[in-house]
Amino acid sequence: MMATPGTGLIGIAILLALLVAGTPIGVALGLVGVGGLVLVLGLEPALIKAGVVAFDTLTRYELGTLPLFMLIAQLLFAADASRDLFDAAAKFVGHRRGGLALASVGGCAGFGAINGSSLATTATIGMVALPEMRRRGYSDALATGTVAAGGTLGQMIPPSGALIVFGIIAEQSIGQLFTAAIIPGITQALFYLAVIWLLVLWRPSIAPRSERAPWPERLRAIGRVSDMLLLMLFVIGAIALGWMSPSEAASVGAAGSFAIIIWRRRLTMAVLHKAFADTLRTSGMILMVVLGALVFSVFIGVTGVANLIADGVSGLGLGPVPTLILIALLLLVLGSVLDGLGLMLLTTPILLPIVEGLGMSPIWFGIFIIRAMEIGFVHPPLGLNLYVIHEVTPDVPIRKIFKGVVAFLLSDLVHLLLLILFPVIVMGLPQWLAQ
Amino acid sequence: MKNAYIWIGGIALVLASATDVLAVVGRHIGVPLRGSIELVQAFILVAGGIALIIATHAGSHARVHILADRMSPPWKARVERVAAALSALLICAFLAGGLWIAADLWGSQEVSELLHLPYRVLRIICNVCLLLVLLAWLRKVLGRERP
């Protein structure tokens, strides 16, 4: 069979069918990739390509970044990071109206800097913050919506698992991606804080005031998280300033996490076993998707379907901003049926050439697609974060959680639009540091 | 067996981390650790290969649930078994390619640049891990493990 864009389009259609049928995402991507390569190149080159991808990926130095950052998260989680982070934020702003919701966003941002996963951030901060907010009389919609939206910060604030995977797939510097994500991550958190402030201003009864924590208590709470925060600031700063590669920074972070958990007398064989098991299980899941996506992107490259779509899009003559808005809409629609990782890995080989053709940097695209992925975590019908929250608070109907997240979703869309209109939000920091 | 996988994979991660930390410290005090990247690559291969095995045994591979969650349990079980068979087929392709390359390069004395780590050994580790992943998927196809 000839390698034509038509072959590529058939491959994409089969891939979507396999995904909807419940085939593991990595397997569906890989099967279409290998199967397509067998058809267009022949059995021998296809199998050899598959073997090369498997070995090269498994021995890839940068790949170490992913499990090591996950190990940091698991170790610090065992050291009660989520509870301490929320507690510290709550001690400072909890007495203000809506303060615990603001503290939840702060806790999510802090835990996101340790964790790198949207679902894990939502679940862990949710378990700590939701009972507290509900006990203090916060409305269920505000409490659940805040944590569901705040949890997405885990995906954006570096170190982020999704950014590492994007860096590997798109062959971009993981360090630059982390640096580029800092300002969008901070502005996203500020948007959420603004949403909470506006909601509470509009309906003060949804978030009553609590008692003010005295300063010694506040300082003790800050003291409990200072070691973790300093470690993560050092890790992220070292990457941004070019002192260490992301892999080295992840290793130093893992060593630091071991030191913290030993210092806190939390390191037992059971804790270590659980940390290793969870790290390896999640890494294996992501690794399978990466392997499949790499083979799939070879197939997409061979068929030229990405170029065909790129030509078609540029033929529309829409100009960069409308085209990027169109791509954002496509990602949001696909995000309704595909999970975040699948969405990113399916669309990156196709959309990246289009975006580059519009003069945008692949680093910008990485941040843009992850921002779109995050929105998929909170918008119906998939909205995985909403279901995570529902598991944490089963007595709150899912409809109410959806309702609570709407205001945050609107702020997400505005934030995404700003990233398109002002790419400097993403590229400013890496360009400034490069000077 | 599962515990052995977890400890081997975890220790490989710790060794990768320790090697990188020593390399960073060494670089800053003027005693560079030659070939640290090659060592980390070997540890990451072990950890990554074992991670694939553990994720497969645990049935934690990411999938889209939009249709599967709406099926009756017998249909869901059938669909999951087909998905496991497709997964085994893909891993079979990776393994076949890996074995093909390993056989082709067996006599070529392929080694890493600085430490001269034999790639032959690394390829064996990679292929053994793929074989164990394949066996894990086949167990699910045969219904001995939940997909």
Side-chain angles (χ1 to χ4, degrees), chain A residues 54-78:
Chain A
F55 184 73
D56 285 357
T57 307
L58 285 171
T59 53
R60 199 166 166 156
Y61 177 65
E62 296 83 9
L63 194 75
T65 318
L66 191 69
L68 287 173
F69 274 126
M70 284 177 184
L71 186 60
I72 295 174
Q74 293 298 335
L75 291 172
L76 293 184
F77 180 60

Side-chain angles (χ1 to χ4, degrees), chain A residues 98-354:
Chain A
L100 287 180
L102 301 174
S104 301
V105 173
C108 285
F111 196 67
I114 292 169
N115 184 278
S117 153
S118 183
L119 296 176
T121 305
T122 307
T124 46
I125 296 296
M127 279 188 279
V128 180
L130 286 174
E132 191 63 21
M133 282 196 273
R134 297 180 77 195
R135 194 172 64 81
R136 306 262 184 113
Y138 278 55
S139 87
D140 284 343
L142 175 68
T144 53
T146 301
V147 182
T152 63
L153 287 165
Q155 200 86 278
M156 179 62 79
I157 293 189
S160 147
L163 283 173
I164 296 171
V165 173
F166 178 83
I168 291 172
I169 296 295
E171 297 187 338
Q172 295 301 313
S173 153
I174 294 168
Q176 273 206 22
L177 283 164
F178 280 1
T179 311
I182 292 174
I183 302 293
I186 292 171
T187 49
Q188 183 186 345
L190 290 175
F191 267 57
Y192 290 162
L193 297 181
V195 167
I196 294 165
W197 182 73
L198 286 172
L199 285 173
V200 172
L201 203 66
W202 178 43
R203 289 175 60 199
S205 62
I206 60 174
R209 288 179 195 278
S210 316
E211 67 275 21
R212 181 189 287 265
W215 272 101
E217 236 178 79
R218 294 185 191 190
L219 294 176
R220 267 199 302 278
I222 279 289
R224 276 198 296 274
V225 293
S226 55
D227 49 0
M228 288 184 272
L229 288 182
L230 283 174
L231 176 69
M232 293 323 290
L233 271 177
F234 175 69
V235 165
I236 298 166
I239 296 171
L241 296 171
W243 295 344
M244 289 186 247
S245 70
S247 311
E248 289 173 338
S251 294
V252 170
S257 308
F258 268 109
I260 288 173
I261 195 173
I262 291 169
W263 174 254
R264 292 183 174 209
R265 298 172 194 276
R266 296 278 174 83
L267 187 63
T268 61
M269 290 303 267
V271 163
L272 196 59
H273 183 274
K274 188 178 183 314
F276 283 161
D278 290 348
T279 300
L280 291 166
R281 199 181 58 244
T282 314
S283 305
M285 182 267 280
I286 295 177
L287 195 50
M288 188 68 235
V289 182
V290 171
L291 282 173
L294 286 170
V295 182
F296 176 72
S297 64
V298 174
F299 168 63
I300 288 295
V302 167
T303 59
V305 68
N307 293 336
L308 175 84
I309 296 174
D311 291 344
V313 171
S314 60
L316 293 173
L318 292 175
V321 172
T323 309
L324 291 172
I325 291 173
L326 208 63
I327 290 174
L329 289 174
L330 173 76
L331 290 172
L332 294 177
V333 170
L334 283 175
S336 306
V337 285
L338 283 175
D339 97 311
L341 205 57
L343 173 72
M344 181 176 81
L345 297 176
L346 166 66
T347 54
T348 294
I350 300 163
L351 295 180
L352 186 56
I354 299 174

Side-chain angles (χ1 to χ4, degrees), chain A residues 18-28 30-31 34 43-44 47-48 50-55 57-61 63-65 67-68 71 243-245 247-248 250-252 254-255 258 269 272-273 276-277 279-285 287-289 291-292 295 336-339 341 381-382, chain B residues 2-3 5-11 13-14 16-18 20-21 23-24 27-28 36-37 40-41 44-52 54-55 58 60-68 71 79 83-84 86-87 89-94 96-98 100-101 104 119 122-123 126 129-130 133 137:
Chain A
L18 285 172
L19 288 175
V20 171
T23 311
I25 294 168
V27 172
L31 265 184
V34 175
L43 183 66
E44 184 180 335
L47 289 183
I48 287 179
V52 168
V53 166
F55 184 73
T57 307
L58 285 171
T59 53
R60 199 166 166 156
Y61 177 65
L63 194 75
T65 318
L68 287 173
L71 186 60
W243 295 344
M244 289 186 247
S245 70
S247 311
E248 289 173 338
S251 294
V252 170
F258 268 109
M269 290 303 267
L272 196 59
H273 183 274
F276 283 161
T279 300
L280 291 166
R281 199 181 58 244
T282 314
S283 305
M285 182 267 280
L287 195 50
M288 188 68 235
V289 182
L291 282 173
V295 182
S336 306
V337 285
L338 283 175
D339 97 311
L341 205 57
L382 209 57
Chain B
K2 192 182 150 198
N3 277 337
Y5 286 143
I6 290 169
W7 285 115
I8 295 171
I11 288 167
L13 275 181
V14 172
S17 166
D20 253 347
V21 170
V24 171
R27 196 170 64 223
H28 284 93
S36 62
I37 290 180
V40 173
Q41 283 177 309
I44 288 302
L45 167 66
V46 175
I50 286 179
L52 279 175
I54 290 175
S60 58
H61 287 298
R63 58 179 82 205
V64 176
H65 293 268
I66 202 160
L67 199 63
M71 289 176 180
V79 166
L86 292 173
S87 307
L89 187 65
L90 175 68
I91 299 299
C92 215
F94 281 132
W100 199 316
I101 299 164
D104 267 359
Y119 267 49
L122 299 184
R123 289 190 192 284
C126 179
C129 287
L130 287 173
V133 176
W137 279 119

